[in-house]
Amino acid sequence: MSFLVLAGCAKLQHLDQLLTLKAVSDEQTQMGKEIERQDARFERLVAAVEEGSIGGYKDQKSVTGQFGPPIFTETVQEDGRPLEVWVYRYAARFFDSPKVYLYWDQAGQLVRWEYK
């Protein structure tokens, strides 16, 4: 009986560390689920590009509503006009991931896209 009491005391003594480990584990689980969600949205975007239905998403709001926000954005000059470029890729694959580039005019309308 005294062994059970001592074991219980040892657990209470390390409760803060155990709770910290539990919180870290929970956070990693949530991060994994978010990566899976982002990757699933990217795969839907790739499918839309490959089948040509991406052209049906005319504005930025409709794209972010369906596929989420881009990983990266930048402004480039093309034929004398500024275009905003949105880059999508798998969430945790940095260098070997395929990418989708969406080009937007100043009015926020989709001009063209590339899949590389």
Side-chain angles (χ1 to χ4, degrees):
M1 180 73 162
S2 64
F3 173 73
L4 292 176
V5 172
L6 290 175
C9 289
K11 285 183 183 177
L12 286 177
Q13 190 175 26
H14 298 289
L15 183 60
D16 287 343
Q17 291 93 342
L18 291 172
L19 291 175
T20 299
L21 287 174
K22 170 85 169 91
V24 168
S25 174
D26 291 347
E27 186 175 321
Q28 288 178 337
T29 299
Q30 283 304 107
M31 286 179 4
K33 288 179 182 178
E34 181 58 27
I35 287 171
E36 287 175 7
R37 281 191 291 273
Q38 288 178 12
D39 286 352
R41 287 193 301 256
F42 176 68
E43 288 172 358
R44 285 196 313 271
L45 176 60
V46 168
V49 167
E50 287 180 330
E51 64 193 29
S53 65
I54 189 67
Y57 298 91
K58 297 293 185 187
D59 60 28
Q60 295 173 339
K61 185 176 180 179
S62 64
V63 169
T64 56
Q66 183 66 29
F67 307 110
I71 296 286
F72 176 76
T73 64
E74 69 175 330
T75 302
V76 298
Q77 291 290 323
E78 191 173 279
D79 297 327
R81 65 180 176 163
L83 294 177
E84 187 174 355
V85 182
W86 288 10
V87 180
Y88 288 84
R89 64 164 167 74
Y90 286 107
R93 291 173 49 191
F94 301 104
F95 301 109
D96 65 339
S97 176
K99 294 174 184 67
V100 171
Y101 299 85
L102 303 178
Y103 294 82
W104 305 93
D105 65 15
Q106 289 183 305
Q109 300 299 303
L110 185 60
V111 174
R112 66 183 179 86
W113 56 88
E114 296 176 357
Y115 176 54
K116 297 181 182 179

